[in-house]
């Protein structure tokens, strides 16, 4: 299917674009009253994510309401551990929680490598429904969590301020850690290949907990597994977003991906200097800037755009949009990017 708006794909590949494409991480979510209405019609987040027709509906909402240049499939990074045999719950105000965790090599026997199609059929079906409904209006982004981030949840059992259990595991059981990371990586490659086969036009890898590792551990326990994924997904553009991994930007430049996502703490000029001219950079407005007035949001957005001007760029925030941000200010951000010259 030909895309009517292929700005995102061309920008990711470094091709000429008429203007900078723009979308937002977590755009299909709690900032939109329309999303909350759909969410309230079911038991909670997991049922919504596992109901393909509803997942497709909330995926498309930001395209209709915010006029972004891409849709990103509504799902969760933690579908991978569940598909591997480690189910999770989404608890209100607490976030994800795993009743069982992975503690040592013996626990690996309880896990399997997910095949990506049958194990995650609800996501694949949601992608197919979304693609049909979008009818080529904009590209559809598929995604997965980076293996280290998934590992952290599987060992810890929930979100954490320190992730001390999972970080300790890298010191005390490095061989086991590599075994589990490889299983996650193999599962993720299968999953992303299935997303692409179903119609995803671009893939993003989210390493949400990259920044909690020391540089030597990041280079041993995270980046090589991301590299495997990038090498395996070569028929659509790939973006790597590693929050807090400012120390690994030089190494990330060597990944077989098209785009590097910057968080809002990463200096734009410095990042371009470190990463070089051959990658597209994505980001990186501080999400908190969207709490300002329309005039303030416009000024902050223009300042960001000025710093990226003349280089390969996809406009986005430096992290997911916060749930209590006014959708009207999100629209100001998007319109400012579109009108920038």
């Amino acid at each position: 299917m030909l895309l009517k708006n292929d700005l995102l794909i061309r920008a990711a590949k470094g091709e000429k674009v008429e203007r900078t494409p723009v979308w937002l991480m977590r755009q299909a979510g709690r900032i939109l009253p329309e999303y909350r209405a759909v969410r309230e019609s079911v038991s909670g987040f997991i049922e919504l994510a596992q109901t393909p027709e509803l997942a497709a509906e909330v995926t498309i909402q930001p395209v209709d309401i915010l006029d972004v240049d891409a849709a990103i499939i509504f799902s969760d990074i933690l579908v991978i551990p569940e598909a591997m045999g480690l189910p999770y719950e989404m608890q209100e105000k607490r976030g994800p929680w795993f009743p069982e965790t992975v503690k040592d090599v013996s626990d690996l026997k309880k896990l399997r490598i997910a095949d990506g199609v049958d194990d995650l059929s609800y996501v694949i079906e949601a992608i197919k429904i979304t693609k049909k409904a979008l009818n080529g209006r904009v590209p559809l982004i598929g995604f997965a969590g980076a293996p280290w981030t998934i590992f952290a949840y599987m060992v810890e059992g929930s979100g954490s301020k320190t992730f001390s259990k999972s970080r300790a595991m890298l010191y005390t059981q490095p061989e086991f850690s590599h075994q589990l990371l490889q299983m996650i990586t193999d599962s993720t490659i299968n999953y992303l290949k299935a997303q692409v086969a179903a119609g995803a036009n671009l893939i993003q890898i989210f390493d949400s907990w990259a920044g909690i590792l020391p540089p030597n551990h990041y280079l041993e326990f995270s980046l090589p597994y991301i590299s495997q994924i990038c090498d395996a997904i070569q028929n659509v553009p790939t973006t790597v977003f590693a929050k807090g991994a400012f120390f690994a930007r030089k190494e990330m430049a060597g990944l077989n991906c098209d785009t590097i996502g910057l968080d809002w703490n990463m200096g734009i000029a410095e990042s371009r200097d470190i990463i070089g001219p051959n990658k597209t950079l994505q980001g990186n407005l501080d999400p908190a800037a969207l709490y300002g007035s329309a005039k303030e949001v416009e000024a902050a957005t223009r300042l960001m755009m000025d710093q990226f001007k003349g280089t390969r760029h996809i406009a986005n925030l430096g992290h997911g949009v916060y749930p209590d941000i006014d959708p009207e200010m999100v629209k100001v951000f998007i319109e400012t990017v579109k009108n920038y010259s």
Side-chain angles (χ1 to χ4, degrees):
M1 184 183 293
L2 285 173
L3 289 168
K4 299 178 183 77
N5 175 350
D6 65 349
L7 284 169
L8 181 76
I9 305 302
R10 283 189 282 143
K13 292 178 176 178
E15 297 172 4
K16 187 173 173 58
V17 288
E18 305 82 68
R19 63 167 176 82
T20 303
V22 56
W23 68 282
L24 295 92
M25 292 180 278
R26 291 191 190 149
Q27 64 187 19
R30 289 175 288 174
I31 59 161
L32 297 177
E34 293 85 353
Y35 163 82
R36 292 196 294 271
V38 176
R39 165 110 179 227
E40 284 163 13
S41 72
V42 293
S43 62
F45 175 90
I46 290 178
E47 185 183 352
L48 175 53
Q50 292 182 350
T51 308
E53 294 79 10
L54 297 182
E57 181 181 345
V58 296
T59 296
I60 296 169
Q61 283 175 348
V63 180
D64 294 334
I65 299 162
L66 303 174
D67 200 23
V68 285
D69 291 312
I72 180 166
I73 194 66
F74 182 81
S75 186
D76 191 80
I77 63 171
L78 298 180
V79 299
I80 278 288
E82 181 153 78
M84 291 174 67
L86 199 73
Y88 73 108
E89 301 169 8
M90 193 65 80
Q91 299 186 344
E92 201 64 39
K93 296 185 180 176
R94 183 180 174 182
W97 181 70
F98 287 85
E100 301 288 332
T101 58
V102 183
K103 301 178 187 68
D104 53 41
V105 175
S106 65
D107 290 327
L108 297 182
K109 295 171 188 167
K110 304 173 193 171
L111 303 176
R112 63 182 178 274
I113 293 170
D115 72 356
V117 178
D118 295 331
D119 291 326
L120 289 155
S121 57
Y122 56 91
V123 181
I124 305 311
E125 185 61 26
I127 288 173
K128 291 176 181 176
I129 294 169
T130 303
K131 284 289 288 189
K132 188 174 181 182
L134 282 172
N135 194 29
R137 284 166 60 195
V138 294
L140 177 62
I141 302 168
F143 73 91
W148 155 249
T149 288
I150 301 302
F151 175 101
Y153 278 110
M154 291 174 78
V155 171
E156 211 77 29
S158 65
S160 167
K161 288 182 179 178
T162 62
F163 282 97
S164 54
K165 290 179 190 172
S166 45
R167 284 165 53 217
M169 197 76 80
L170 306 184
Y171 289 97
T172 60
Q173 298 189 63
E175 190 177 330
F176 155 77
S177 297
H178 281 300
Q179 283 181 269
L180 178 54
L181 284 162
Q182 190 60 57
M183 289 181 72
I184 296 166
T185 301
D186 293 342
S187 298
T188 303
I189 288 170
N190 291 341
Y191 178 43
L192 290 176
K193 283 183 173 179
Q195 289 189 40
V196 172
N201 301 104
L202 184 144
I203 292 298
Q204 178 152 317
I205 301 162
F206 287 88
D207 205 356
S208 306
W209 301 118
I212 65 172
L213 290 178
N216 64 315
H217 269 182
Y218 193 71
L219 297 182
E220 180 180 354
F221 293 102
S222 184
L223 214 58
Y225 296 101
I226 292 175
S227 183
Q228 284 186 44
I229 297 169
C230 291
D231 288 345
I233 308 297
Q234 282 300 300
N235 46 347
V236 298
T238 304
T239 299
V240 175
F241 174 68
K243 187 177 183 297
F246 64 91
F247 49 80
R249 284 173 291 180
K250 184 178 179 182
E251 289 78 8
M252 288 168 72
L255 290 170
N256 197 3
C257 68
D258 304 87
T259 302
I260 303 290
L262 306 181
D263 68 38
W264 74 91
N265 290 312
M266 295 177 182
I268 294 166
E270 179 192 52
S271 296
R272 176 54 74 192
D273 189 49
I274 292 169
I275 293 168
N278 299 322
K279 298 273 192 227
T280 300
L281 298 183
Q282 178 175 277
N284 71 332
L285 186 70
D286 181 355
L290 299 186
Y291 287 117
S293 65
K295 192 174 179 182
E296 290 163 342
V297 171
E298 182 180 352
T301 304
R302 289 190 65 84
L303 178 62
M304 176 196 75
M305 296 297 289
D306 286 343
Q307 293 176 78
F308 280 110
K309 192 168 187 174
T311 67
R312 294 172 57 170
H313 180 217
I314 295 167
N316 206 310
L317 303 179
H319 196 241
V321 62
Y322 301 142
D324 60 344
I325 284 173
D326 182 354
E328 292 306 311
M329 293 307 103
V330 174
K331 290 177 185 176
V332 171
F333 166 70
I334 292 163
E335 284 306 310
T336 304
V337 172
K338 289 185 174 184
N339 294 331
Y340 183 86
S341 60

